[in-house]
Amino acid sequence: RVYAYLIKQRFIAPEIITHFARKRLIYEDKEHHNAVFVGVDANGTPRQAHKRSTITFGSSFRLTCEGSDTRYSFAHFGESQRLYVFEAPIDMLSFLTLYPKHWENNSYIAMNGVYEHAVLTALQKHPHITDIVLCTDNDEGGMDAADRLRDVLKNAGSVRETARVHIYADMNGSIGI
Protein backbone atom coordinates (compact mmCIF):
# COMPACT_ATOMS: atom_id res chain seq x y z
CA ARG A 1 0.00 0.00 0.00
CA VAL A 2 2.84 2.42 0.75
CA TYR A 3 4.34 2.01 -2.72
CA ALA A 4 0.92 2.48 -4.31
CA TYR A 5 0.18 5.56 -2.19
CA LEU A 6 3.54 7.20 -2.84
CA ILE A 7 3.47 6.45 -6.58
CA LYS A 8 -0.21 6.91 -7.46
CA GLN A 9 -1.28 9.58 -4.97
CA ARG A 10 1.94 11.52 -4.34
CA PHE A 11 3.60 10.88 -7.74
CA ILE A 12 6.95 9.89 -6.25
CA ALA A 13 9.30 8.14 -8.67
CA PRO A 14 9.42 4.39 -7.96
CA GLU A 15 13.22 4.33 -8.08
CA ILE A 16 13.40 6.97 -5.34
CA ILE A 17 11.05 4.95 -3.11
CA THR A 18 13.01 1.78 -3.83
CA HIS A 19 16.30 3.44 -2.88
CA PHE A 20 15.01 4.33 0.60
CA ALA A 21 13.05 1.08 1.03
CA ARG A 22 16.17 -1.00 0.35
CA LYS A 23 17.97 0.95 3.08
CA ARG A 24 14.99 0.25 5.36
CA LEU A 25 14.28 3.95 5.73
CA ILE A 26 10.74 3.59 4.36
CA TYR A 27 8.41 0.74 5.20
CA GLU A 28 4.75 -0.06 5.77
CA ASP A 29 3.53 -0.62 9.31
CA LYS A 30 1.73 -3.90 9.74
CA GLU A 31 -1.25 -2.74 11.78
CA HIS A 32 -2.62 0.20 9.79
CA HIS A 33 -0.55 0.18 6.57
CA ASN A 34 0.92 3.62 7.34
CA ALA A 35 4.08 4.81 5.65
CA VAL A 36 6.91 4.88 8.16
CA PHE A 37 9.95 7.09 7.54
CA VAL A 38 13.00 6.20 9.62
CA GLY A 39 15.83 8.38 10.87
CA VAL A 40 19.10 6.65 11.71
CA ASP A 41 22.27 7.61 13.57
CA ALA A 42 25.80 7.54 12.09
CA ASN A 43 25.97 3.76 12.66
CA GLY A 44 22.71 3.14 10.79
CA THR A 45 20.78 2.38 13.98
CA PRO A 46 17.14 3.50 13.80
CA ARG A 47 16.57 6.37 16.25
CA GLN A 48 13.37 8.00 15.02
CA ALA A 49 10.25 6.93 13.16
CA HIS A 50 7.60 9.15 11.64
CA LYS A 51 4.27 7.69 10.48
CA ARG A 52 2.01 9.11 7.83
CA SER A 53 -1.32 7.62 6.90
CA THR A 54 -1.80 6.37 3.36
CA ILE A 55 -5.56 6.71 3.22
CA THR A 56 -6.83 8.64 0.24
CA PHE A 57 -10.15 9.72 1.74
CA GLY A 58 -11.11 11.29 5.05
CA SER A 59 -8.62 12.71 7.49
CA SER A 60 -4.98 11.74 7.30
CA PHE A 61 -2.47 12.00 10.11
CA ARG A 62 1.23 12.35 10.78
CA LEU A 63 2.88 11.17 13.97
CA THR A 64 6.41 10.98 15.29
CA CYS A 65 6.47 7.66 17.13
CA GLU A 66 6.83 7.55 20.88
CA GLY A 67 10.43 7.10 22.01
CA SER A 68 11.85 8.70 18.87
CA ASP A 69 15.00 10.77 19.20
CA THR A 70 14.22 13.98 17.29
CA ARG A 71 17.93 14.62 16.74
CA TYR A 72 17.65 12.10 13.90
CA SER A 73 15.27 12.20 11.00
CA PHE A 74 14.56 10.71 7.58
CA ALA A 75 17.56 11.76 5.51
CA HIS A 76 20.18 11.01 2.89
CA PHE A 77 23.74 12.29 3.14
CA GLY A 78 25.93 12.69 0.08
CA GLU A 79 29.43 13.99 -0.48
CA SER A 80 28.64 17.50 -1.75
CA GLN A 81 28.56 20.58 0.45
CA ARG A 82 24.82 21.13 -0.06
CA LEU A 83 22.04 20.16 2.38
CA TYR A 84 18.37 20.54 1.43
CA VAL A 85 16.03 20.82 4.43
CA PHE A 86 12.33 19.91 4.13
CA GLU A 87 9.35 20.02 6.47
CA ALA A 88 8.23 16.45 5.70
CA PRO A 89 9.57 13.23 4.16
CA ILE A 90 7.11 13.39 1.25
CA ASP A 91 8.28 16.92 0.45
CA MET A 92 11.82 15.55 0.28
CA LEU A 93 10.81 12.61 -1.93
CA SER A 94 8.85 14.94 -4.23
CA PHE A 95 11.91 17.14 -4.65
CA LEU A 96 14.07 14.12 -5.51
CA THR A 97 11.47 13.06 -8.07
CA LEU A 98 11.51 16.52 -9.67
CA TYR A 99 15.31 16.83 -9.62
CA PRO A 100 16.67 13.28 -10.04
CA LYS A 101 19.94 14.07 -11.81
CA HIS A 102 22.82 13.03 -9.53
CA TRP A 103 20.61 13.52 -6.47
CA GLU A 104 22.71 11.06 -4.44
CA ASN A 105 25.60 13.57 -4.37
CA ASN A 106 23.71 16.05 -2.18
CA SER A 107 22.30 15.72 1.33
CA TYR A 108 18.61 15.93 2.25
CA ILE A 109 16.75 15.89 5.55
CA ALA A 110 13.10 16.10 6.60
CA MET A 111 12.36 17.92 9.86
CA ASN A 112 8.97 16.22 10.45
CA GLY A 113 7.45 19.61 11.01
CA VAL A 114 9.52 22.61 11.89
CA TYR A 115 11.92 21.22 14.48
CA GLU A 116 15.58 22.04 14.05
CA HIS A 117 17.10 19.28 16.24
CA ALA A 118 17.75 16.87 13.36
CA VAL A 119 19.23 19.62 11.19
CA LEU A 120 21.62 20.75 13.93
CA THR A 121 22.70 17.15 14.58
CA ALA A 122 23.23 16.53 10.85
CA LEU A 123 25.45 19.59 10.57
CA GLN A 124 27.54 18.46 13.54
CA LYS A 125 27.98 14.98 12.03
CA HIS A 126 28.67 16.25 8.49
CA PRO A 127 31.08 19.22 8.76
CA HIS A 128 31.63 19.26 4.98
CA ILE A 129 28.17 20.82 4.53
CA THR A 130 28.46 24.58 3.93
CA ASP A 131 25.47 25.31 1.70
CA ILE A 132 22.03 24.93 3.30
CA VAL A 133 18.83 25.24 1.30
CA LEU A 134 15.63 25.54 3.36
CA CYS A 135 12.74 24.14 1.31
CA THR A 136 9.61 24.96 3.27
CA ASP A 137 5.99 25.30 2.28
CA ASN A 138 4.90 28.57 0.75
CA ASP A 139 2.50 29.34 3.58
CA GLU A 140 2.75 31.35 6.78
CA GLY A 141 3.95 28.38 8.85
CA GLY A 142 6.57 27.38 6.31
CA MET A 143 7.89 30.88 5.85
CA ASP A 144 8.04 31.49 9.60
CA ALA A 145 9.81 28.15 10.05
CA ALA A 146 12.41 29.02 7.41
CA ASP A 147 13.11 32.41 8.98
CA ARG A 148 13.35 30.88 12.45
CA LEU A 149 15.57 28.01 11.29
CA ARG A 150 17.91 30.40 9.47
CA ASP A 151 18.29 32.39 12.70
CA VAL A 152 18.73 29.24 14.81
CA LEU A 153 21.44 27.95 12.47
CA LYS A 154 23.37 31.20 12.55
CA ASN A 155 23.01 31.68 16.33
CA ALA A 156 23.95 28.07 17.10
CA GLY A 157 27.20 28.43 15.23
CA SER A 158 26.14 25.59 12.95
CA VAL A 159 26.54 27.78 9.92
CA ARG A 160 30.14 28.66 9.29
CA GLU A 161 31.16 32.18 8.28
CA THR A 162 31.43 31.05 4.66
CA ALA A 163 28.18 29.10 4.65
CA ARG A 164 25.21 30.17 2.61
CA VAL A 165 21.64 29.70 3.78
CA HIS A 166 18.94 29.95 1.12
CA ILE A 167 15.19 29.84 1.54
CA TYR A 168 12.97 28.32 -1.13
CA ALA A 169 9.20 28.15 -0.93
CA ASP A 170 7.72 24.97 -2.38
CA MET A 171 10.88 24.62 -4.46
CA ASN A 172 9.59 27.34 -6.82
CA GLY A 173 12.53 29.70 -6.70
CA SER A 174 14.42 31.83 -4.26
CA ILE A 175 12.39 34.10 -2.03
CA GLY A 176 15.09 35.40 0.25
CA ILE A 177 18.53 34.91 1.69
Side-chain angles (χ1 to χ4, degrees):
R1 289 187 193 181
V2 169
Y3 264 85
Y5 169 76
L6 292 173
I7 293 168
K8 294 179 180 179
Q9 298 298 316
R10 303 310 297 249
F11 305 103
I12 307 298
E15 58 274 12
I16 300 292
I17 302 164
T18 299
H19 171 85
F20 289 97
R22 284 188 178 149
K23 293 183 174 282
R24 299 177 190 231
L25 299 177
I26 296 176
Y27 68 91
E28 181 175 323
D29 82 351
K30 191 174 184 177
E31 186 177 1
H32 298 291
H33 306 286
N34 296 307
V36 181
F37 301 93
V38 179
V40 298
D41 64 18
N43 298 320
T45 304
R47 298 291 179 192
Q48 187 259 82
H50 182 79
K51 290 184 180 183
R52 194 211 192 285
S53 65
T54 58
I55 62 170
T56 57
F57 57 90
S59 298
S60 66
F61 78 93
R62 294 170 206 84
L63 169 76
T64 298
C65 297
E66 188 176 332
S68 289
D69 185 342
T70 59
R71 293 176 300 161
Y72 303 94
S73 190
F74 181 69
H76 167 83
F77 295 101
E79 298 299 321
S80 84
Q81 298 174 338
R82 182 165 281 184
L83 171 67
Y84 292 90
V85 179
F86 300 89
E87 289 183 53
I90 290 178
D91 296 338
M92 182 179 129
L93 297 173
S94 295
F95 184 86
L96 297 178
T97 297
L98 291 171
Y99 302 100
K101 189 174 182 181
H102 307 296
W103 72 265
E104 297 94 340
N105 296 336
N106 294 311
S107 297
Y108 310 86
I109 192 165
M111 297 183 289
N112 296 327
V114 293
Y115 305 107
E116 70 273 2
H117 305 296
V119 177
L120 295 173
T121 299
L123 291 171
Q124 290 171 350
K125 304 289 183 193
H126 302 277
H128 69 281
I129 294 173
T130 59
D131 193 16
I132 303 163
V133 181
L134 305 177
C135 303
T136 59
D137 292 342
N138 190 13
D139 59 19
E140 187 176 343
M143 299 309 298
D144 289 347
D147 287 337
R148 185 182 60 75
L149 185 56
R150 181 184 52 208
D151 293 342
V152 165
L153 291 170
K154 288 184 179 182
N155 292 335
S158 296
V159 178
R160 297 131 194 90
E161 294 273 332
T162 58
R164 298 178 297 161
V165 178
H166 309 275
I167 301 175
Y168 288 85
D170 287 338
M171 291 74 68
N172 286 327
S174 180
I175 60 161
I177 296 178

